[in-house]
Amino acid sequence: MGRVIFSEGGNPVHCIVNKFTERSATLSMTGWMGLPSEFMLYIEPDSIRTECRVILRKGSNIEVEFLDVEHGVRYKQSA
């Protein structure tokens, strides 16, 4: 499970993280068309936060590369 966070804030968009490697992943995001080319991704339950860049879009699957990975970070919704 993952959460996509946009720089503008707002509610996170949930996704399924597939094909997870040290430097990339494929995200499954059914019904989401407005994903920017760069965004923040929280990967639960691994407690990873990473900046991502989209490298391939194919239907509901989006392949991303990790730009800056932090371990031990959990998502916290702002009040």
Side-chain angles (χ1 to χ4, degrees):
M1 174 145 155
R3 297 172 199 242
V4 173
I5 309 298
F6 305 106
S7 61
E8 303 87 38
N11 293 325
V13 175
H14 295 275
C15 64
I16 296 172
V17 180
N18 298 307
K19 299 181 184 176
F20 178 73
T21 71
E22 192 174 297
R23 297 180 184 203
S24 67
T26 299
L27 310 179
S28 180
M29 301 180 69
T30 304
W32 185 261
M33 301 303 288
L35 190 68
S37 60
E38 293 188 7
F39 54 87
M40 185 71 65
L41 174 67
Y42 285 83
I43 302 172
E44 302 291 346
D46 298 309
S47 300
I48 295 172
R49 176 176 63 193
T50 180
E51 292 180 42
C52 294
R53 177 181 303 134
V54 174
I55 54 177
L56 178 66
R57 298 174 195 250
K58 187 172 183 179
S60 62
N61 293 320
I62 299 154
E63 189 174 335
V64 297
E65 69 176 325
F66 301 150
L67 304 176
D68 183 26
V69 179
E70 295 179 73
H71 296 272
V73 180
R74 298 197 57 94
Y75 175 76
K76 294 178 186 169
Q77 181 103 25
S78 300

